[in-house]
Amino acid sequence: MASKRDYYEVLGVDRNASDEQIRRAFRQLAFRYHPDHNREDGAAEKFKEVSEAYEVLSNADKRAAYDRFGHSGGRDIFEQGFGGFDFGFGDIFDAFFGGTTTASRQEPQRGASLQTALSITLEEAAFGCTKDVEITRTENCSDCHGTGSKPGSQPGRCPNCDGAGQVRRVQSSIFGRFTNISTCPRCHGEGRIITDPCPTCRGSGREKRQRTLSVKVPAGVDTGTRIRLRGEGETGTRGAPSGDLFVVLSVQEHALFSREDDDILYRLPLSFAQAALGTQLEVPTLDGTDKLKIPAGCQTGTIFRLRNRGIPHLSGMGRGDQLVEVTVVTPESLSREQRQLLQELDKSFEDRDNKKKGKRR
């Protein structure tokens, strides 16, 4: 068995060191090697060695016996006069650096917030609507109303902590008496225990319930908009308020329109004749239909703007526009008569161009 190191050497002090010097040396070393602060291999053993040295050198009688007999002598004196201490290394550290620890009772906790998705049409996003959503959330038990006890009975006071939710433990050490206050392990800080549990929630006081909630969607929303329903999340504990429900919107694609901020875009197909000669058409809008005049010679990519026919602004002030983009459609198949007509038309263009060239000469 390896021999013990000299206690003065362990603490790093001279044999003539004062009580304050010994105390200060122990404080530094104990903090350095305490297992809660130092996870390195051997730290726990060093802390044990430092604590043992301080236990002896901090006591006048023990120190005198150690100075006289060392580790091997005076064992009977140690055991007879100072064998009644019952504390661990953690107690030494807590007593030296603190003295009293406390634990609070379980506090009311606000319920968790929830999130759900809701899909709506472009028209519903534009003009607002009221929709129903289904959610599953944790609520107080419908039978025991959150007490956890069978209806007609009440929770009992915890006998371990007498309803305080905390337990006190008074310990004596070489530094005096100190009190440790911790959460009651039996009632977990509640101060009460369920003696006759509710069969519905099995004593938890809470259960999962499915709810259908009405959501008012304002005009002008878009994909990603979150609507907050206050207090519609999970129920809080011990009387604390419930959490909130966040409804995240997703706007479906439309068969005719695409959205660009608060404007909407409609692509209008035109025949070659309509584009060349000009025409007046009715185009679809979110509000129904509207007349649009197409001038002669209109080209693909031309954009017309219908004022205030877009998405209402979410602020409630005004609305966007509807953009109508023209696309001249080329026919994929032609009859013999149509082909002949187009050839004649093309020839007339060619004759016209030749005449213009002749005039330039």
Side-chain angles (χ1 to χ4, degrees), residues 9-72:
E9 179 184 344
V10 170
L11 295 181
V13 296
D14 188 83
R15 286 188 168 273
N16 296 322
S18 65
D19 292 341
E20 177 59 29
Q21 290 174 322
I22 291 174
R23 175 185 173 86
R24 187 163 52 247
F26 168 71
R27 184 186 182 101
Q28 294 174 348
L29 293 172
F31 188 84
R32 180 189 304 172
Y33 296 121
H34 192 278
D36 289 346
H37 296 269
N38 193 330
R39 303 290 183 181
E40 295 180 359
D41 292 341
E45 290 300 320
K46 290 182 179 179
F47 180 78
K48 180 179 178 181
E49 183 182 44
V50 167
S51 300
E52 181 181 321
Y54 181 73
E55 180 186 352
V56 173
L57 300 184
S58 63
N59 182 282
D61 293 333
K62 283 187 176 184
R63 182 178 181 182
Y66 177 74
D67 288 342
R68 184 176 180 183
F69 302 107
H71 292 297
S72 59

Short mmCIF file of all heavy atoms in Angstrom, two decimals, residues 9-72:
data_model
loop_
_atom_site.label_atom_id
_atom_site.label_comp_id
_atom_site.label_asym_id
_atom_site.label_seq_id
_atom_site.Cartn_x
_atom_site.Cartn_y
_atom_site.Cartn_z
N GLU A 9 2.37 19.04 2.94
CA GLU A 9 2.77 19.00 1.53
C GLU A 9 1.53 18.96 0.63
O GLU A 9 1.50 19.59 -0.43
CB GLU A 9 3.65 17.77 1.28
CG GLU A 9 4.10 17.64 -0.18
CD GLU A 9 4.88 16.35 -0.40
OE1 GLU A 9 5.32 15.73 0.59
OE2 GLU A 9 5.02 15.95 -1.59
N VAL A 10 0.53 18.21 1.06
CA VAL A 10 -0.71 18.11 0.28
C VAL A 10 -1.33 19.49 0.08
O VAL A 10 -1.78 19.85 -1.02
CB VAL A 10 -1.70 17.16 0.95
CG1 VAL A 10 -3.07 17.25 0.29
CG2 VAL A 10 -1.18 15.73 0.91
N LEU A 11 -1.38 20.27 1.16
CA LEU A 11 -1.98 21.61 1.08
C LEU A 11 -1.01 22.66 0.57
O LEU A 11 -1.42 23.79 0.27
CB LEU A 11 -2.52 22.02 2.45
CG LEU A 11 -3.68 21.19 3.00
CD1 LEU A 11 -4.13 21.74 4.35
CD2 LEU A 11 -4.86 21.19 2.03
N GLY A 12 0.26 22.30 0.49
CA GLY A 12 1.25 23.25 -0.01
C GLY A 12 1.55 24.37 0.96
O GLY A 12 1.77 25.52 0.52
N VAL A 13 1.55 24.09 2.26
CA VAL A 13 1.82 25.12 3.27
C VAL A 13 2.97 24.68 4.16
O VAL A 13 3.33 23.49 4.23
CB VAL A 13 0.57 25.38 4.14
CG1 VAL A 13 -0.57 25.95 3.29
CG2 VAL A 13 0.12 24.11 4.86
N ASP A 14 3.56 25.65 4.86
CA ASP A 14 4.64 25.37 5.81
C ASP A 14 4.07 24.78 7.09
O ASP A 14 2.90 24.98 7.42
CB ASP A 14 5.39 26.68 6.10
CG ASP A 14 6.63 26.44 6.91
OD1 ASP A 14 7.66 26.09 6.32
OD2 ASP A 14 6.54 26.59 8.15
N ARG A 15 4.89 24.08 7.85
CA ARG A 15 4.43 23.48 9.12
C ARG A 15 4.05 24.54 10.14
O ARG A 15 3.30 24.27 11.08
CB ARG A 15 5.49 22.55 9.70
CG ARG A 15 5.60 21.23 8.95
CD ARG A 15 6.51 20.24 9.65
NE ARG A 15 6.38 18.92 9.06
CZ ARG A 15 5.48 18.01 9.42
NH1 ARG A 15 4.63 18.29 10.37
NH2 ARG A 15 5.46 16.84 8.82
N ASN A 16 4.56 25.74 9.96
CA ASN A 16 4.21 26.83 10.88
C ASN A 16 3.08 27.71 10.33
O ASN A 16 2.82 28.80 10.83
CB ASN A 16 5.44 27.71 11.14
CG ASN A 16 6.54 26.94 11.84
OD1 ASN A 16 6.27 26.11 12.72
ND2 ASN A 16 7.79 27.19 11.45
N ALA A 17 2.38 27.22 9.29
CA ALA A 17 1.32 28.00 8.66
C ALA A 17 0.20 28.30 9.65
O ALA A 17 -0.14 27.47 10.52
CB ALA A 17 0.75 27.24 7.47
N SER A 18 -0.37 29.49 9.51
CA SER A 18 -1.48 29.89 10.38
C SER A 18 -2.77 29.20 9.93
O SER A 18 -2.85 28.62 8.84
CB SER A 18 -1.67 31.40 10.33
OG SER A 18 -2.06 31.79 9.02
N ASP A 19 -3.79 29.27 10.80
CA ASP A 19 -5.08 28.68 10.45
C ASP A 19 -5.64 29.30 9.17
O ASP A 19 -6.23 28.62 8.33
CB ASP A 19 -6.09 28.86 11.59
CG ASP A 19 -5.70 28.04 12.81
OD1 ASP A 19 -4.89 27.08 12.66
OD2 ASP A 19 -6.20 28.35 13.92
N GLU A 20 -5.45 30.60 9.01
CA GLU A 20 -5.96 31.29 7.83
C GLU A 20 -5.24 30.84 6.57
O GLU A 20 -5.84 30.67 5.51
CB GLU A 20 -5.83 32.81 8.01
CG GLU A 20 -6.28 33.63 6.80
CD GLU A 20 -7.73 33.38 6.45
OE1 GLU A 20 -8.53 33.06 7.36
OE2 GLU A 20 -8.08 33.50 5.25
N GLN A 21 -3.92 30.61 6.66
CA GLN A 21 -3.16 30.13 5.52
C GLN A 21 -3.61 28.73 5.11
O GLN A 21 -3.73 28.41 3.92
CB GLN A 21 -1.66 30.15 5.83
CG GLN A 21 -1.07 31.56 5.92
CD GLN A 21 0.38 31.55 6.38
OE1 GLN A 21 0.77 30.73 7.25
NE2 GLN A 21 1.19 32.45 5.83
N ILE A 22 -3.86 27.90 6.11
CA ILE A 22 -4.34 26.54 5.83
C ILE A 22 -5.73 26.58 5.20
O ILE A 22 -6.02 25.87 4.23
CB ILE A 22 -4.37 25.71 7.14
CG1 ILE A 22 -2.93 25.45 7.60
CG2 ILE A 22 -5.12 24.40 6.94
CD1 ILE A 22 -2.83 24.77 8.95
N ARG A 23 -6.55 27.43 5.74
CA ARG A 23 -7.92 27.56 5.21
C ARG A 23 -7.88 28.05 3.75
O ARG A 23 -8.59 27.52 2.89
CB ARG A 23 -8.71 28.53 6.08
CG ARG A 23 -10.10 28.86 5.57
CD ARG A 23 -10.74 29.93 6.47
NE ARG A 23 -11.98 30.39 5.91
CZ ARG A 23 -13.16 29.82 6.11
NH1 ARG A 23 -13.24 28.72 6.86
NH2 ARG A 23 -14.26 30.31 5.58
N ARG A 24 -7.06 29.05 3.48
CA ARG A 24 -6.98 29.60 2.14
C ARG A 24 -6.43 28.58 1.15
O ARG A 24 -6.93 28.46 0.01
CB ARG A 24 -6.12 30.86 2.15
CG ARG A 24 -6.13 31.60 0.81
CD ARG A 24 -5.62 33.03 0.93
NE ARG A 24 -4.33 33.11 1.59
CZ ARG A 24 -4.13 33.67 2.79
NH1 ARG A 24 -5.16 34.19 3.46
NH2 ARG A 24 -2.93 33.72 3.34
N ALA A 25 -5.44 27.80 1.56
CA ALA A 25 -4.86 26.78 0.68
C ALA A 25 -5.89 25.70 0.36
O ALA A 25 -6.02 25.26 -0.79
CB ALA A 25 -3.63 26.16 1.35
N PHE A 26 -6.64 25.30 1.40
CA PHE A 26 -7.67 24.28 1.17
C PHE A 26 -8.74 24.79 0.21
O PHE A 26 -9.19 24.07 -0.68
CB PHE A 26 -8.30 23.86 2.49
CG PHE A 26 -9.54 23.04 2.30
CD1 PHE A 26 -9.47 21.74 1.82
CD2 PHE A 26 -10.79 23.56 2.58
CE1 PHE A 26 -10.60 20.98 1.63
CE2 PHE A 26 -11.94 22.82 2.38
CZ PHE A 26 -11.84 21.52 1.91
N ARG A 27 -9.15 26.03 0.40
CA ARG A 27 -10.20 26.60 -0.44
C ARG A 27 -9.80 26.55 -1.92
O ARG A 27 -10.60 26.17 -2.78
CB ARG A 27 -10.47 28.04 -0.01
CG ARG A 27 -11.61 28.70 -0.76
CD ARG A 27 -11.73 30.17 -0.38
NE ARG A 27 -12.86 30.78 -1.06
CZ ARG A 27 -14.04 31.03 -0.52
NH1 ARG A 27 -14.25 30.71 0.76
NH2 ARG A 27 -15.01 31.60 -1.20
N GLN A 28 -8.57 26.92 -2.20
CA GLN A 28 -8.10 26.93 -3.59
C GLN A 28 -8.03 25.52 -4.17
O GLN A 28 -8.48 25.27 -5.29
CB GLN A 28 -6.74 27.61 -3.67
CG GLN A 28 -6.77 29.09 -3.32
CD GLN A 28 -5.37 29.71 -3.26
OE1 GLN A 28 -4.36 28.98 -3.26
NE2 GLN A 28 -5.30 31.04 -3.20
N LEU A 29 -7.47 24.59 -3.39
CA LEU A 29 -7.29 23.23 -3.89
C LEU A 29 -8.63 22.50 -4.00
O LEU A 29 -8.85 21.72 -4.94
CB LEU A 29 -6.34 22.46 -2.98
CG LEU A 29 -4.89 22.96 -2.98
CD1 LEU A 29 -4.07 22.25 -1.90
CD2 LEU A 29 -4.24 22.73 -4.35
N ALA A 30 -9.50 22.72 -3.03
CA ALA A 30 -10.81 22.05 -3.06
C ALA A 30 -11.60 22.49 -4.28
O ALA A 30 -12.27 21.68 -4.92
CB ALA A 30 -11.58 22.35 -1.78
N PHE A 31 -11.54 23.76 -4.59
CA PHE A 31 -12.25 24.25 -5.76
C PHE A 31 -11.65 23.68 -7.04
O PHE A 31 -12.36 23.35 -7.99
CB PHE A 31 -12.21 25.78 -5.79
CG PHE A 31 -13.07 26.37 -6.86
CD1 PHE A 31 -14.43 26.57 -6.65
CD2 PHE A 31 -12.54 26.71 -8.10
CE1 PHE A 31 -15.24 27.10 -7.64
CE2 PHE A 31 -13.34 27.25 -9.09
CZ PHE A 31 -14.69 27.44 -8.85
N ARG A 32 -10.33 23.54 -7.07
CA ARG A 32 -9.66 23.05 -8.27
C ARG A 32 -9.99 21.59 -8.54
O ARG A 32 -10.20 21.20 -9.70
CB ARG A 32 -8.15 23.21 -8.12
CG ARG A 32 -7.37 22.70 -9.35
CD ARG A 32 -5.88 22.67 -9.09
NE ARG A 32 -5.37 23.97 -8.66
CZ ARG A 32 -4.13 24.18 -8.22
NH1 ARG A 32 -3.27 23.15 -8.17
NH2 ARG A 32 -3.74 25.38 -7.84
N TYR A 33 -10.05 20.77 -7.48
CA TYR A 33 -10.19 19.33 -7.67
C TYR A 33 -11.59 18.79 -7.41
O TYR A 33 -11.82 17.58 -7.53
CB TYR A 33 -9.18 18.58 -6.78
CG TYR A 33 -7.75 18.86 -7.13
CD1 TYR A 33 -6.87 19.41 -6.19
CD2 TYR A 33 -7.26 18.58 -8.40
CE1 TYR A 33 -5.54 19.67 -6.51
CE2 TYR A 33 -5.93 18.84 -8.72
CZ TYR A 33 -5.08 19.39 -7.78
OH TYR A 33 -3.78 19.65 -8.10
N HIS A 34 -12.53 19.64 -7.04
CA HIS A 34 -13.85 19.13 -6.73
C HIS A 34 -14.44 18.46 -7.98
O HIS A 34 -14.36 18.99 -9.08
CB HIS A 34 -14.78 20.28 -6.28
CG HIS A 34 -16.06 19.78 -5.68
ND1 HIS A 34 -17.13 19.39 -6.45
CD2 HIS A 34 -16.44 19.61 -4.38
CE1 HIS A 34 -18.12 19.00 -5.66
NE2 HIS A 34 -17.73 19.12 -4.41
N PRO A 35 -15.04 17.25 -7.83
CA PRO A 35 -15.56 16.51 -8.98
C PRO A 35 -16.58 17.27 -9.81
O PRO A 35 -16.74 17.01 -11.00
CB PRO A 35 -16.19 15.26 -8.34
CG PRO A 35 -15.45 15.09 -7.05
CD PRO A 35 -15.13 16.48 -6.58
N ASP A 36 -17.28 18.20 -9.19
CA ASP A 36 -18.27 18.98 -9.96
C ASP A 36 -17.61 19.98 -10.90
O ASP A 36 -18.25 20.48 -11.82
CB ASP A 36 -19.21 19.74 -9.01
CG ASP A 36 -20.16 18.79 -8.30
OD1 ASP A 36 -20.25 17.62 -8.74
OD2 ASP A 36 -20.78 19.20 -7.30
N HIS A 37 -16.35 20.29 -10.66
CA HIS A 37 -15.64 21.27 -11.47
C HIS A 37 -14.53 20.65 -12.32
O HIS A 37 -14.14 21.22 -13.32
CB HIS A 37 -15.02 22.35 -10.58
CG HIS A 37 -16.03 23.16 -9.84
ND1 HIS A 37 -16.57 24.32 -10.33
CD2 HIS A 37 -16.61 22.95 -8.63
CE1 HIS A 37 -17.43 24.81 -9.45
NE2 HIS A 37 -17.48 23.99 -8.43
N ASN A 38 -14.04 19.51 -11.89
CA ASN A 38 -12.89 18.91 -12.56
C ASN A 38 -13.22 17.45 -12.89
O ASN A 38 -13.39 16.62 -12.00
CB ASN A 38 -11.66 18.97 -11.63
CG ASN A 38 -10.38 18.65 -12.37
OD1 ASN A 38 -10.37 17.88 -13.32
ND2 ASN A 38 -9.28 19.22 -11.91
N ARG A 39 -13.34 17.16 -14.19
CA ARG A 39 -13.68 15.81 -14.65
C ARG A 39 -12.45 14.99 -15.03
O ARG A 39 -12.58 13.87 -15.52
CB ARG A 39 -14.61 15.90 -15.86
CG ARG A 39 -15.89 16.68 -15.61
CD ARG A 39 -16.82 15.94 -14.70
NE ARG A 39 -18.07 16.65 -14.50
CZ ARG A 39 -19.08 16.22 -13.73
NH1 ARG A 39 -18.92 15.08 -13.08
NH2 ARG A 39 -20.17 16.93 -13.60
N GLU A 40 -11.26 15.54 -14.82
CA GLU A 40 -10.05 14.83 -15.22
C GLU A 40 -9.82 13.62 -14.32
O GLU A 40 -10.26 13.57 -13.17
CB GLU A 40 -8.84 15.77 -15.14
CG GLU A 40 -8.91 16.94 -16.11
CD GLU A 40 -7.69 17.84 -15.98
OE1 GLU A 40 -6.83 17.53 -15.12
OE2 GLU A 40 -7.60 18.82 -16.73
N ASP A 41 -9.14 12.63 -14.87
CA ASP A 41 -8.80 11.44 -14.09
C ASP A 41 -7.91 11.81 -12.91
O ASP A 41 -6.95 12.58 -13.06
CB ASP A 41 -8.06 10.42 -14.97
CG ASP A 41 -8.96 9.83 -16.05
OD1 ASP A 41 -10.19 9.93 -15.89
OD2 ASP A 41 -8.43 9.30 -17.03
N GLY A 42 -8.24 11.29 -11.75
CA GLY A 42 -7.45 11.54 -10.54
C GLY A 42 -7.91 12.73 -9.74
O GLY A 42 -7.44 12.94 -8.62
N ALA A 43 -8.80 13.56 -10.29
CA ALA A 43 -9.25 14.75 -9.57
C ALA A 43 -9.98 14.39 -8.28
O ALA A 43 -9.80 15.01 -7.23
CB ALA A 43 -10.14 15.61 -10.47
N ALA A 44 -10.83 13.35 -8.35
CA ALA A 44 -11.59 12.94 -7.17
C ALA A 44 -10.66 12.46 -6.05
O ALA A 44 -10.87 12.76 -4.87
CB ALA A 44 -12.59 11.85 -7.54
N GLU A 45 -9.62 11.72 -6.43
CA GLU A 45 -8.67 11.24 -5.43
C GLU A 45 -7.90 12.40 -4.80
O GLU A 45 -7.64 12.43 -3.59
CB GLU A 45 -7.69 10.25 -6.07
CG GLU A 45 -8.32 8.91 -6.45
CD GLU A 45 -8.91 8.20 -5.24
OE1 GLU A 45 -8.26 8.23 -4.16
OE2 GLU A 45 -10.01 7.63 -5.37
N LYS A 46 -7.53 13.38 -5.62
CA LYS A 46 -6.83 14.54 -5.08
C LYS A 46 -7.73 15.34 -4.16
O LYS A 46 -7.29 15.85 -3.12
CB LYS A 46 -6.32 15.42 -6.23
CG LYS A 46 -5.17 14.80 -7.01
CD LYS A 46 -4.68 15.74 -8.11
CE LYS A 46 -3.51 15.12 -8.87
NZ LYS A 46 -3.03 15.99 -9.97
N PHE A 47 -9.01 15.44 -4.52
CA PHE A 47 -9.95 16.16 -3.66
C PHE A 47 -10.09 15.44 -2.31
O PHE A 47 -10.14 16.07 -1.26
CB PHE A 47 -11.31 16.28 -4.35
CG PHE A 47 -12.33 17.00 -3.54
CD1 PHE A 47 -12.32 18.39 -3.46
CD2 PHE A 47 -13.29 16.31 -2.81
CE1 PHE A 47 -13.25 19.07 -2.69
CE2 PHE A 47 -14.22 16.98 -2.04
CZ PHE A 47 -14.20 18.37 -1.98
N LYS A 48 -10.13 14.12 -2.38
CA LYS A 48 -10.22 13.33 -1.15
C LYS A 48 -8.98 13.55 -0.28
O LYS A 48 -9.09 13.71 0.95
CB LYS A 48 -10.35 11.85 -1.52
CG LYS A 48 -10.46 10.92 -0.33
CD LYS A 48 -10.62 9.49 -0.80
CE LYS A 48 -10.68 8.53 0.38
NZ LYS A 48 -10.83 7.12 -0.06
N GLU A 49 -7.83 13.57 -0.90
CA GLU A 49 -6.58 13.76 -0.17
C GLU A 49 -6.53 15.15 0.47
O GLU A 49 -6.14 15.31 1.64
CB GLU A 49 -5.41 13.57 -1.13
CG GLU A 49 -4.04 13.67 -0.47
CD GLU A 49 -2.92 13.53 -1.47
OE1 GLU A 49 -3.00 14.14 -2.56
OE2 GLU A 49 -1.93 12.82 -1.16
N VAL A 50 -6.95 16.18 -0.30
CA VAL A 50 -6.95 17.55 0.21
C VAL A 50 -7.92 17.69 1.37
O VAL A 50 -7.63 18.32 2.39
CB VAL A 50 -7.31 18.53 -0.93
CG1 VAL A 50 -7.64 19.90 -0.38
CG2 VAL A 50 -6.17 18.62 -1.93
N SER A 51 -9.09 17.08 1.26
CA SER A 51 -10.11 17.16 2.32
C SER A 51 -9.63 16.48 3.59
O SER A 51 -9.85 16.98 4.71
CB SER A 51 -11.41 16.51 1.83
OG SER A 51 -11.91 17.16 0.69
N GLU A 52 -8.98 15.33 3.43
CA GLU A 52 -8.46 14.61 4.59
C GLU A 52 -7.38 15.43 5.31
O GLU A 52 -7.37 15.53 6.54
CB GLU A 52 -7.90 13.27 4.14
CG GLU A 52 -7.34 12.42 5.28
CD GLU A 52 -6.77 11.11 4.77
OE1 GLU A 52 -7.37 10.51 3.84
OE2 GLU A 52 -5.71 10.69 5.29
N ALA A 53 -6.52 16.06 4.52
CA ALA A 53 -5.47 16.89 5.11
C ALA A 53 -6.07 18.07 5.85
O ALA A 53 -5.64 18.42 6.96
CB ALA A 53 -4.50 17.35 4.01
N TYR A 54 -7.06 18.70 5.25
CA TYR A 54 -7.66 19.88 5.90
C TYR A 54 -8.42 19.49 7.16
O TYR A 54 -8.42 20.22 8.15
CB TYR A 54 -8.59 20.58 4.92
CG TYR A 54 -9.22 21.81 5.52
CD1 TYR A 54 -8.46 22.96 5.72
CD2 TYR A 54 -10.55 21.82 5.91
CE1 TYR A 54 -9.01 24.08 6.30
CE2 TYR A 54 -11.12 22.93 6.49
CZ TYR A 54 -10.35 24.07 6.68
OH TYR A 54 -10.90 25.19 7.25
N GLU A 55 -9.08 18.33 7.13
CA GLU A 55 -9.81 17.89 8.32
C GLU A 55 -8.90 17.78 9.53
O GLU A 55 -9.28 18.11 10.66
CB GLU A 55 -10.47 16.53 8.03
CG GLU A 55 -11.27 15.99 9.23
CD GLU A 55 -11.79 14.60 8.98
OE1 GLU A 55 -11.68 14.10 7.84
OE2 GLU A 55 -12.31 13.99 9.94
N VAL A 56 -7.69 17.33 9.28
CA VAL A 56 -6.74 17.18 10.39
C VAL A 56 -6.10 18.50 10.76
O VAL A 56 -6.11 18.91 11.93
CB VAL A 56 -5.66 16.15 10.01
CG1 VAL A 56 -4.57 16.10 11.09
CG2 VAL A 56 -6.29 14.76 9.83
N LEU A 57 -5.58 19.23 9.78
CA LEU A 57 -4.80 20.43 10.08
C LEU A 57 -5.67 21.61 10.51
O LEU A 57 -5.16 22.57 11.10
CB LEU A 57 -3.94 20.83 8.88
CG LEU A 57 -2.92 19.78 8.41
CD1 LEU A 57 -2.07 20.35 7.28
CD2 LEU A 57 -2.03 19.32 9.57
N SER A 58 -6.96 21.58 10.22
CA SER A 58 -7.83 22.69 10.64
C SER A 58 -8.31 22.54 12.08
O SER A 58 -8.87 23.48 12.64
CB SER A 58 -9.05 22.77 9.71
OG SER A 58 -9.83 21.58 9.81
N ASN A 59 -8.07 21.38 12.68
CA ASN A 59 -8.47 21.14 14.06
C ASN A 59 -7.22 21.17 14.95
O ASN A 59 -6.26 20.44 14.70
CB ASN A 59 -9.18 19.79 14.17
CG ASN A 59 -9.67 19.50 15.58
OD1 ASN A 59 -8.89 19.12 16.45
ND2 ASN A 59 -10.97 19.68 15.78
N ALA A 60 -7.24 22.01 15.98
CA ALA A 60 -6.04 22.21 16.81
C ALA A 60 -5.55 20.91 17.43
O ALA A 60 -4.34 20.61 17.43
CB ALA A 60 -6.32 23.26 17.88
N ASP A 61 -6.48 20.12 18.00
CA ASP A 61 -6.07 18.87 18.67
C ASP A 61 -5.55 17.85 17.67
O ASP A 61 -4.54 17.17 17.90
CB ASP A 61 -7.24 18.29 19.46
CG ASP A 61 -7.63 19.19 20.64
OD1 ASP A 61 -6.75 19.92 21.14
OD2 ASP A 61 -8.81 19.18 21.03
N LYS A 62 -6.27 17.71 16.56
CA LYS A 62 -5.83 16.75 15.55
C LYS A 62 -4.48 17.15 14.95
O LYS A 62 -3.62 16.31 14.68
CB LYS A 62 -6.85 16.64 14.44
CG LYS A 62 -8.08 15.82 14.79
CD LYS A 62 -8.94 15.63 13.55
CE LYS A 62 -10.13 14.72 13.86
NZ LYS A 62 -10.92 14.45 12.65
N ARG A 63 -4.31 18.45 14.75
CA ARG A 63 -3.05 18.94 14.18
C ARG A 63 -1.90 18.68 15.13
O ARG A 63 -0.81 18.25 14.70
CB ARG A 63 -3.17 20.43 13.86
CG ARG A 63 -1.89 21.01 13.20
CD ARG A 63 -2.07 22.47 12.86
NE ARG A 63 -0.88 23.02 12.22
CZ ARG A 63 -0.74 24.29 11.84
NH1 ARG A 63 -1.75 25.15 12.03
NH2 ARG A 63 0.38 24.71 11.28
N ALA A 64 -2.14 18.92 16.41
CA ALA A 64 -1.09 18.67 17.40
C ALA A 64 -0.72 17.21 17.44
O ALA A 64 0.47 16.84 17.52
CB ALA A 64 -1.56 19.15 18.78
N ALA A 65 -1.71 16.32 17.37
CA ALA A 65 -1.44 14.89 17.38
C ALA A 65 -0.69 14.47 16.12
O ALA A 65 0.22 13.64 16.16
CB ALA A 65 -2.76 14.12 17.49
N TYR A 66 -1.08 15.08 14.98
CA TYR A 66 -0.40 14.74 13.74
C TYR A 66 1.04 15.22 13.76
O TYR A 66 1.95 14.51 13.31
CB TYR A 66 -1.14 15.37 12.55
CG TYR A 66 -0.46 15.14 11.22
CD1 TYR A 66 -0.51 13.89 10.62
CD2 TYR A 66 0.26 16.16 10.60
CE1 TYR A 66 0.14 13.67 9.41
CE2 TYR A 66 0.91 15.95 9.39
CZ TYR A 66 0.85 14.69 8.80
OH TYR A 66 1.49 14.47 7.61
N ASP A 67 1.28 16.45 14.27
CA ASP A 67 2.64 16.97 14.34
C ASP A 67 3.52 16.08 15.22
O ASP A 67 4.73 15.95 14.99
CB ASP A 67 2.64 18.39 14.91
CG ASP A 67 2.06 19.39 13.90
OD1 ASP A 67 2.00 19.06 12.70
OD2 ASP A 67 1.67 20.51 14.32
N ARG A 68 2.88 15.44 16.21
CA ARG A 68 3.65 14.62 17.17
C ARG A 68 3.84 13.20 16.67
O ARG A 68 4.95 12.64 16.78
CB ARG A 68 2.94 14.60 18.51
CG ARG A 68 3.71 13.86 19.58
CD ARG A 68 3.00 13.96 20.91
NE ARG A 68 3.72 13.24 21.95
CZ ARG A 68 3.30 13.11 23.21
NH1 ARG A 68 2.13 13.68 23.58
NH2 ARG A 68 4.01 12.45 24.10
N PHE A 69 2.75 12.61 16.12
CA PHE A 69 2.81 11.18 15.77
C PHE A 69 2.82 10.89 14.28
O PHE A 69 3.10 9.75 13.88
CB PHE A 69 1.61 10.45 16.40
CG PHE A 69 1.55 10.57 17.89
CD1 PHE A 69 0.61 11.38 18.50
CD2 PHE A 69 2.46 9.89 18.71
CE1 PHE A 69 0.54 11.50 19.87
CE2 PHE A 69 2.39 9.99 20.08
CZ PHE A 69 1.44 10.81 20.68
N GLY A 70 2.49 11.89 13.46
CA GLY A 70 2.43 11.64 12.01
C GLY A 70 1.23 10.77 11.66
O GLY A 70 0.26 10.66 12.39
N HIS A 71 1.29 10.09 10.49
CA HIS A 71 0.18 9.25 10.03
C HIS A 71 0.03 7.98 10.86
O HIS A 71 -1.09 7.52 11.08
CB HIS A 71 0.39 8.85 8.56
CG HIS A 71 0.27 9.99 7.60
ND1 HIS A 71 -0.87 10.71 7.44
CD2 HIS A 71 1.19 10.54 6.75
CE1 HIS A 71 -0.67 11.66 6.54
NE2 HIS A 71 0.59 11.57 6.10
N SER A 72 1.13 7.42 11.32
CA SER A 72 1.08 6.11 11.97
C SER A 72 0.73 6.19 13.45
O SER A 72 0.12 5.29 14.00
CB SER A 72 2.43 5.39 11.82
OG SER A 72 3.46 6.19 12.40
#
